[in-house]
């Protein structure tokens, strides 16, 4: 049996960069990318799925590389007209991006599942690798804050610009949600060679995926090693509020604390080369660790990191034989 398939678990921007690298070194039948949908929300009557769209636009090479989300060459006529009508403009919806939300909302209303709609959108954008939502059910991340307020994720992230101090997170409806069929199929596939947790936010991008009923059990039953890439480099998050959240949750600001967070759920950990000195203490948690360049500036960086992870996955599989 060849164990050649890779399943990548991704949030938005950081995860999408690694997913692109993996898509450049693996043929379509050997890579699946599962995206967090806890960030999804209903806005102005539309269903918005930010992480799915970020990965989708990145794989299609249509993304706005400066901001990481949205489309390159976007125009904003819709948003300007919305402002004229006095409606909410805190969540920036570009004219081209709107087409994605309208097609998704329309197809969901016709009874298609989010997995089916995602497959359709990917096909239309020429993406050959599999991109799937973590679930077809409506799981919603909420953020608990120090002042006692609970915010819907996008209200915390975009409207409040991550300013409120966080005290914890909940994933509404997660206990009754099921992993999407294609996600389950990947986890149960005897040809699964590795599960890669991309350098995404551990608390709000990866945990919702891992906390879906049955996911951890299926990961443990699978022979495939689970490898996480640290989103914390030199004590800072490459992008987004992960480091701010760690500080507010009273955690040390280090990649080691991320490994500790994933302890019991991963077999391997990828540190940035700047943090190479943490290798021994993470190894001693029973997590095999390597260090390499994880800061993905260029496409070559994304591809090099993907190759490093695939080599590491092979090494871990051979060790457990
Ligand atoms: N992020 C922002 O910081 N500001 C925005 O106005 C914004 C709009 C937006 C529209 C569509 C979309 O798919 C994503 C969008 N994002 C925006 C990104 C997104 O909300 C976050 O990066 C993720 O939810 C975190 O992974």
């Amino acid at each position: 049996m060849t164990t050649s398939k890779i399943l990548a678990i991704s949030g938005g921007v950081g995860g999408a960069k690694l997913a692109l690298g993996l898509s450049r070194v693996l043929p379509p039948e050997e890579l699946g990318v599962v995206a967090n949908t806890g960030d999804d929300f209903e806005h102005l009557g539309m269903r918005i799925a930010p992480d799915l769209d970020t990965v989708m636009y990145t794989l299609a090479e249509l993304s706005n590389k400066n901001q990481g989300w949205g489309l390159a060459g976007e125009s904003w006529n819709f948003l300007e007209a919305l402002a004229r009508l006095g409606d909410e403009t805190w969540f920036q919806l570009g004219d081209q991006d709107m087409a994605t939300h309208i097609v998704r909302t329309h197809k969901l209303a016709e009874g298609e599942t989010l997995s089916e709609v995602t497959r359709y959108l990917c096909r239309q954008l020429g993406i050959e690798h599999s991109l799937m939502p973590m679930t077809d059910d409506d799981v919603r991340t909420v953020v608990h804050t120090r002042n006692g307020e609970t915010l819907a994720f996008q209200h915390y992230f975009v409207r409040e610009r991550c300013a409120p101090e966080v005290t914890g997170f909940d994933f509404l409806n997660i206990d009754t949600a099921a992993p999407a069929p294609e996600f389950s199929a990947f986890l149960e596939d005897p040809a699964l060679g590795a599960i890669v947790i991309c350098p995404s936010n551990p608390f709000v991008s990866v945990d919702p995926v891992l906390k879906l009923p049955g996911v951890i059990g299926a990961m443990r039953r699978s022979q495939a090693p689970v490898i996480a890439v640290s989103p914390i480099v030199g004590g800072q998050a490459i992008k987004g509020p992960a480091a701010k959240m760690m500080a507010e949750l009273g955690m040390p600001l280090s990649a080691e604390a991320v490994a500790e967070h994933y302890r019991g759920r991963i077999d391997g950990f990828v540190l940035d080369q700047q943090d190479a000195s943490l290798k021994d203490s993470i190894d001693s948690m029973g997590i095999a660790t390597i260090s390499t360049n994880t800061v993905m500036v260029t496409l070559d960086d994304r591809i090099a990191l993907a190759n490093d992870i695939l080599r590491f996955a092979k090494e871990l599989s051979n060790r457990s034989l």
Side-chain angles (χ1 to χ4, degrees):
M1 166 67 62
T2 55
T3 50
S4 53
K5 289 194 181 180
I6 303 295
L7 179 64
I9 297 176
S10 177
V13 183
K17 286 182 178 180
L18 180 56
L20 178 62
L22 288 164
S23 77
R24 288 302 189 94
V25 298
L26 292 167
E29 61 281 8
E30 290 184 9
L31 174 65
V33 183
V34 56
N36 167 44
T37 58
D39 293 15
D40 290 17
F41 75 137
E42 281 66 36
H43 184 58
L44 303 171
M46 289 175 299
R47 168 66 178 274
I48 318 282
D51 287 355
L52 271 175
D53 287 350
T54 297
V55 178
M56 182 171 78
Y57 295 154
T58 302
L59 292 179
E61 306 213 31
L62 293 171
S63 68
N64 178 325
K65 294 199 176 73
N66 294 327
Q67 58 191 20
W69 52 270
L71 285 153
E74 189 58 280
S75 57
W76 302 95
N77 295 306
F78 166 77
L79 207 68
E80 281 165 28
L82 198 63
R84 197 161 54 218
L85 296 177
D87 216 318
E88 303 176 58
T89 55
W90 58 268
F91 196 77
Q92 293 184 273
L93 293 166
D95 298 336
Q96 297 181 65
D97 188 32
M98 279 289 291
T100 303
H101 310 310
I102 288 172
V103 170
R104 175 183 295 116
T105 305
H106 176 64
K107 286 186 174 292
L108 288 172
E110 283 184 334
E112 290 191 31
T113 64
L114 186 59
S115 294
E116 288 165 341
V117 180
T118 304
R119 239 187 324 272
Y120 172 82
L121 291 169
C122 286
R123 197 167 56 240
Q124 292 304 112
L125 296 183
I127 298 168
E128 293 182 76
H129 294 82
S130 302
L131 170 64
M132 64 207 88
M134 65 181 198
T135 178
D136 286 330
D137 300 317
D138 291 344
V139 172
R140 294 290 178 267
T141 300
V142 293
V143 181
H144 300 293
T145 66
R146 179 69 57 200
N147 70 8
E149 216 183 347
T150 296
L151 295 169
F153 184 78
Q154 295 300 335
H155 288 190
Y156 161 79
F157 191 94
V158 177
R159 199 187 65 195
E160 307 297 326
R161 297 170 195 273
C162 308
E165 190 179 332
V166 305
T167 53
F169 311 98
D170 266 317
F171 310 113
L172 304 181
N173 305 327
I174 197 148
D175 293 341
T176 53
E182 203 183 350
F183 179 23
S184 293
F186 257 91
L187 291 173
E188 306 290 344
D189 193 330
L192 187 63
I195 298 166
V196 178
I197 299 178
C198 290
S200 296
N201 187 307
F203 315 104
V204 292
S205 299
V206 179
D207 277 358
V209 183
L210 301 183
K211 288 187 172 175
L212 281 166
V215 167
I216 289 292
M219 281 164 69
R220 291 207 175 113
R221 277 194 307 278
S222 155
Q223 297 299 307
V226 182
I227 297 172
V229 183
S230 179
I232 299 289
V233 173
Q236 294 186 333
I238 297 287
K239 192 161 172 38
K244 180 175 180 284
M245 287 174 173
M246 288 170 83
E248 292 167 357
L249 295 171
M251 296 170 68
L253 275 187
S254 72
E256 194 178 349
V258 176
E260 181 65 47
H261 177 77
Y262 285 136
R263 191 176 190 162
R265 303 187 285 180
I266 60 171
D267 307 293
F269 195 68
V270 181
L271 280 170
D272 187 75
Q273 55 203 5
Q274 293 176 45
D275 293 322
S277 62
L278 300 174
K279 177 178 160 31
D280 288 351
S281 58
I282 301 174
D283 276 336
S284 68
M285 293 179 199
I287 301 170
T289 307
I290 58 163
S291 63
T292 184
N293 176 37
T294 64
V295 183
M296 295 174 279
V297 181
T298 65
L299 178 60
D300 284 348
D301 294 336
R302 293 158 173 73
I303 291 172
L305 179 58
N307 278 320
D308 288 339
I309 293 167
L310 296 180
R311 258 193 308 275
F312 185 35
K314 280 220 173 71
E315 207 184 294
L316 290 180
S317 301
N318 291 339
R319 269 190 223 176
S320 64
L321 285 180

